[in-house]
Amino acid sequence: MVILVHHHGFSQKPGMEQTISDPNSVVRTLQHQLDISKKNPDQPKKIAQSHLKLGEYYHSLGLYSEAMEQYNKALDQLGTDFNDTLFITLNNNIGKVYLSLNNFELAEQHFTETLNASKEIHNDRGLAISLGLLGASHEKQAEYDDALKDQKESLLLFQKMGDEHGVATTNENIGSIYEDLEQFDLARQYFQRAYDYFEGKGTAEEVNVLNNLGDSFRKTGNYSVALEKTTLALEVAQKLNDFHQLESAHKDLSKTYAFLGDFEKAHAHLLQAEEFNSAMLKAQNTDQLNVLQTIYETNKKEAEIRLLKEQNKVSRANQNLLWVALFAIAAILTILYNYLGRKRKAKLKIQEYKQRMLKAELEKKAIEEQNLQQEIQLKTSSLSRYSLHLSQKNKILLDLANTLRNIAGRKNMNTSDKIKDLVKEIDFNLQQEQEWDEFMIFFKEIHPEFIKKLSTLSDNNLSPAELRLGMLLRLNLSSKEIASILRVTPDSVRVARHRLRKKLPIDQKDELVNFMIDL
C-alpha cells in the first residue's frame, strides 16, 4: 500500500507545489481498516497486519511512540508465534524505531532476534533485511568492520534470491560505509552499481544515489562530474517534490560551487537548501500535530462509544434488577429477621472457636520459639566450651611435650629413648585434624551460612587457616585464646587478623570481630 504524505502550512515558491494526500484521511482510512479487521477476532493475523500498516505510517511521520504502540499491539495478536514472517517484519520495524532514536543496544537486540527467527524458518529475505539493519546500526556507531561484514552477507543473500532492488539498496549502503572510511574510489563503485538499477526510475532512491555519487566525485576533486550528478539529482527531486532530497541536492551544489570559487551560486543554493529544510520541518510538524489530533479525536470517540455501550448495559441490567428486587423484597423481609438471628449466633460460635484455635496456635509457637532459643544457647555454650577445651588440651600437650623434651635432653637418664617416643607420639597427636573436623560440624550446625557468606565477601579465595580464624573470631575469642587453639603465638594471630582484614570489605573504623559477628 503506497501512502502519499501531504505537506502543507507554508508559503510555496514556484516549483514547490505538492500533489499529496491529507494525512488525516490516511489515518482515518487505516483506522477504518483496523476496525473492520477487529470484527473478525478469529483472524488475528489480519488484525496484526492492520496494526502494522498504521504503525508504519506513524513511523514515517516521526511519531515513534504511537508507532511502537501499534507494533506491540500487532505482536500481542501473534502471541508466541515467533517463527512467522509477520513477526519478522514487526520485530525489524521495532528495531528501526530504536535505531531512529539512536538506542543502538535495543535496536540490535531486536534485529538479532529477527535474524535468528529468519534462520529457523529459512527465510532468506528476512535474514538479508535483518543483516542490513544490523549493518546500518554498526555504521551509525562507526563500527565499520562489523557494518561491512553484515552488509556484504546481506548482499550475497539478495543476489542469491535475484532481488535486484535489495541488491541495489545494499550496494548503496556499502558505498556509504566506504565513503565514511574515505575510500572514495570503492564507495563510487558501489554507488554506481546501485545507480545502474535506480537510474530513470524517478524515485527518492535514485535521487539519494545521485547525491552520493556527486559527494564521492566532489570529495576527490572532480567538481565538474560532481555538479553533473548533483544537478541531475536536483531535477529528479523537483519532479518528486521531495523536500528532504531537494535540501540535500541544494546543499551539495552549494558545497561544490564553493570549492569552484563561485560563492554567489554557493550562497544561493545554500539559501534554497535552508528554505526547503524549513519548509520540510514545518510541514512535518504540521502533519504530526494534525495526525495526533486525529488520533486523539478517534480515541475520544471510541471511548465515548464504549462508555455509551456500558451505560446501556448498566441501564438494562438495572431495570431487570429493579423488577427482580420488587418481587423478592417481600419474601426477603419475612425471613430476614430469623435468618440474621441464626446467622449472628453461628458467627459468634465460629469467632469463639477461631479465637481458641488462634490462642492455642500462638501458645504452641511461643513454646517452640522458646525451645529453639534454648537449643541455640545450649549449642553456642557447648561450642564455646569445646573451643576452650581445644585450647586447654593443646596447651597441656604443648607443655607436656616441652617437659619431655627437656628430660630427653639429659643423657645420663636411661629413659631417654622412651621419652623421645612419647614426644613423637604427642607431636603426632597435636597435628591431627579430628578435633577440627568435629569443631566444623558443630560450628555449621549453629552458624550454617557463616562460611559461605565469608567466602563470597572476599575478592580473593580465603585459605582454610583464614576460614578457621574467621570462625574463632565469630565466637568472640581473644587473640590469646585463638593463639592457644591454633598452636601459634599471639603475634602470629595479629598478623593473620591483619591479612584477613585486607581481604574483606571492612571499613577502617569497624572492628574485625564485630564484622564477623554481624555476618
Side-chain angles (χ1 to χ4, degrees), residues 75 78-79 81-93 110 113-114 117:
L75 286 176
L78 292 180
D81 188 6
F82 298 145
N83 293 328
D84 185 272
T85 54
L86 186 55
F87 166 78
I88 291 171
T89 303
L90 282 166
N91 213 39
N92 271 337
N93 282 3
H110 284 277
E113 287 177 1
T114 307

Side-chain angles (χ1 to χ4, degrees), residues 49-241:
Q49 287 170 345
S50 297
H51 281 298
L52 170 63
K53 291 177 182 178
L54 197 54
E56 287 176 337
Y57 185 59
Y58 289 152
H59 191 178
S60 70
L61 294 176
L63 300 172
Y64 299 125
S65 59
E66 286 75 12
M68 190 70 79
E69 181 182 1
Q70 295 300 322
Y71 293 151
N72 286 324
K73 286 181 179 179
L75 286 176
D76 289 340
Q77 292 293 326
L78 292 180
T80 58
D81 188 6
F82 298 145
N83 293 328
D84 185 272
T85 54
L86 186 55
F87 166 78
I88 291 171
T89 303
L90 282 166
N91 213 39
N92 271 337
N93 282 3
I94 292 173
K96 288 179 187 176
V97 173
Y98 286 122
L99 189 60
S100 299
L101 298 171
N102 290 332
N103 191 333
F104 302 115
E105 183 179 355
L106 283 176
E108 291 179 13
Q109 178 181 327
H110 284 277
F111 297 151
T112 303
E113 287 177 1
T114 307
L115 185 145
N116 293 331
S118 299
K119 286 181 179 178
E120 286 186 16
I121 62 174
H122 306 291
N123 186 335
D124 288 344
R125 182 173 300 281
L127 184 58
I129 293 172
S130 300
L131 284 167
L133 290 170
L134 275 171
S137 177
H138 290 308
E139 182 184 0
K140 275 193 171 187
Q141 300 172 78
E143 298 169 354
Y144 298 118
D145 290 340
D146 291 333
L148 280 172
K149 177 178 175 296
D150 291 332
Q151 294 290 5
K152 287 183 177 180
E153 287 183 17
S154 176
L155 180 62
L156 289 174
L157 286 168
F158 280 125
Q159 289 172 341
K160 173 185 172 183
M161 291 183 290
D163 186 336
E164 294 183 5
H165 185 276
V167 169
T169 302
T170 309
N171 275 324
E172 184 180 6
N173 293 337
I174 296 173
S176 176
I177 297 170
Y178 281 122
E179 185 178 15
D180 291 341
L181 293 170
E182 299 184 355
Q183 298 181 28
F184 300 115
D185 289 337
L186 271 174
R188 190 181 302 120
Q189 290 177 23
Y190 282 97
F191 288 148
Q192 186 60 50
R193 292 172 192 171
Y195 183 62
D196 289 342
Y197 172 77
F198 289 122
E199 183 179 6
K201 295 190 183 296
T203 61
E205 289 135 322
E206 181 183 0
V207 181
N208 204 53
V209 175
L210 283 167
N211 276 327
N212 284 329
L213 280 169
D215 278 346
S216 65
F217 282 112
R218 184 182 73 250
K219 290 175 181 177
T220 52
N222 194 340
Y223 302 124
S224 59
V225 180
L227 278 177
E228 176 188 342
K229 299 297 182 184
T230 311
T231 303
L232 184 56
L234 178 62
E235 292 173 359
V236 179
Q238 286 172 339
K239 293 177 183 178
L240 292 172
N241 272 332

Side-chain angles (χ1 to χ4, degrees), residues 467-516:
L467 289 174
R468 289 178 181 177
L469 177 58
M471 290 188 290
L472 293 173
L473 289 172
R474 176 64 182 82
L475 297 177
N476 200 17
L477 298 178
S478 66
S479 294
K480 186 176 180 181
E481 291 170 331
I482 294 172
S484 176
I485 293 173
L486 297 178
R487 304 188 295 277
V488 296
T489 65
D491 287 339
S492 297
V493 173
R494 281 191 289 273
V495 172
R497 288 177 64 157
H498 178 70
R499 289 176 178 171
L500 177 59
R501 183 187 186 93
K502 287 178 67 176
K503 290 186 177 183
L504 297 173
I506 307 177
D507 191 87
Q508 293 181 352
K509 298 179 181 179
D510 294 339
E511 291 289 339
L512 181 59
V513 173
N514 294 336
F515 179 82
M516 295 297 177

Side-chain angles (χ1 to χ4, degrees), residues 289-307:
L289 287 172
N290 289 337
V291 170
L292 287 172
Q293 180 64 30
T294 302
I295 294 172
Y296 170 76
E297 291 174 356
T298 302
N299 291 339
K300 183 179 178 181
K301 287 180 180 179
E302 289 180 352
E304 290 174 351
I305 292 171
R306 287 195 298 269
L307 180 61

Side-chain angles (χ1 to χ4, degrees), residues 346-383:
K347 187 176 181 180
L348 288 173
K349 288 182 180 180
I350 291 171
Q351 288 178 347
E352 290 175 359
Y353 175 74
K354 286 182 177 179
Q355 288 176 353
R356 288 197 300 270
M357 291 294 293
L358 181 60
K359 184 177 180 182
E361 185 68 22
L362 290 173
E363 290 175 353
K364 180 181 177 182
K365 288 185 177 180
I367 293 171
E368 289 176 352
E369 184 178 356
Q370 184 178 3
N371 290 338
L372 184 60
Q373 289 177 352
Q374 289 175 354
E375 184 179 351
I376 292 172
Q377 291 174 357
L378 179 61
K379 286 187 176 182
T380 304
S381 176
S382 299
L383 186 58

